[in-house]
Amino acid sequence: MLNGDEAAFRELVATYRQYLFQTIYAIVRHTKDAEDLSQDVWSRIYFSLPQYQMKGLKTWMTRIAVNRAIDFKRSASRRREEMTSEMEIPMQAVQTAGTLSFSSNGVEHEVLMKETTELVRQKLHQIPANYHEVLTAYYIQHQSYQDIANAHGVTVKTIESKLYRAKQWLRNNWKEEDFM
């Protein structure tokens, strides 16, 4: 198999395909992403076989799959953080001034900023009220869990749960492409 035996590799794929898919899915929690990552992992395994040291094949393949899935999650998380931080500037401008007054980098920039701000306003109205409050307090007003809990008269654990459910709602209902 290490010297390019394609039949042996096909047998390896047939034996471990479902196992590696489930391993990846357990980390990324999205079928399409898990399918794409599985393809990537199998190609990485194929091209890494010459470096394989004959010690625990299943463990070695699992490590490749887990590392790739974790890298994917980190990358997706960074993209979401960047998107969130880009959204905070227009949101702060909307909250503090009520209207936009950005420095003039040209008409195109102003139009794009107004469109983005309007899109964010529309999207914010879609968020259920109980999630809207905790998201605004945490991400826009930069309050701590304890401050939010005190303001709402609940425990910190309740705020953690609400924020977690709010993030899940955003992941399920908002698409990154909507903001590009």
Side-chain angles (χ1 to χ4, degrees):
M1 180 169 49
L2 293 179
N3 55 6
D5 184 350
E6 290 185 27
F9 185 73
R10 277 195 292 275
E11 187 176 322
L12 183 70
V13 171
T15 303
Y16 292 105
R17 175 184 305 156
Q18 189 62 30
Y19 168 75
L20 286 183
F21 172 81
Q22 289 173 337
T23 301
I24 294 167
Y25 181 82
I27 296 169
V28 299
R29 294 288 183 200
H30 189 268
T31 305
K32 180 73 173 118
D33 291 337
E35 289 169 355
D36 293 344
L37 288 170
S38 291
Q39 290 291 335
D40 182 48
V41 165
W42 282 111
S43 67
R44 288 174 187 234
I45 288 171
Y46 182 80
F47 291 112
S48 298
L49 278 171
Q51 289 84 36
Y52 174 62
Q53 298 175 357
M54 302 296 186
K55 296 178 185 171
L57 179 65
K58 186 176 179 181
T59 303
W60 178 73
M61 292 187 314
T62 303
R63 179 61 25 214
I64 291 172
V66 167
N67 287 342
R68 180 64 186 103
I70 290 171
D71 288 346
F72 175 83
K73 288 265 304 192
R74 284 184 186 143
S75 159
S77 178
R78 267 193 299 272
R79 282 193 306 270
R80 275 194 298 277
E81 287 175 15
E82 289 169 2
M83 188 175 78
T84 302
S85 67
E86 289 171 7
M87 286 173 40
E88 286 178 5
I89 294 168
M91 282 307 304
Q92 290 169 350
V94 168
Q95 287 183 340
T96 57
T99 61
L100 292 176
S101 59
F102 292 96
S103 64
S104 178
N105 290 351
V107 175
E108 183 178 330
H109 177 73
E110 283 187 45
V111 169
L112 286 174
M113 292 308 292
K114 285 181 182 180
E115 287 176 359
T116 302
T117 301
E118 187 56 35
L119 175 64
V120 170
R121 276 189 191 150
Q122 291 170 0
K123 291 287 188 180
L124 284 175
H125 291 298
Q126 295 173 358
I127 300 174
N130 57 334
Y131 297 158
H132 187 276
E133 292 174 6
V134 72
L135 286 168
T136 302
Y138 187 74
Y139 286 108
I140 307 299
Q141 298 168 351
H142 303 288
Q143 294 180 7
S144 69
Y145 285 2
Q146 186 64 55
D147 292 340
I148 300 168
N150 292 343
H152 288 89
V154 296
T155 66
V156 171
K157 193 70 177 163
T158 301
I159 296 304
E160 289 174 355
S161 296
K162 272 189 171 185
L163 195 55
Y164 174 79
R165 287 191 303 268
K167 289 177 192 176
Q168 290 298 105
W169 188 93
L170 290 174
R171 280 187 201 105
N172 293 330
N173 293 282
W174 286 10
K175 302 293 181 234
E176 186 173 345
E177 306 84 54
D178 294 344
F179 294 93
M180 299 191 155

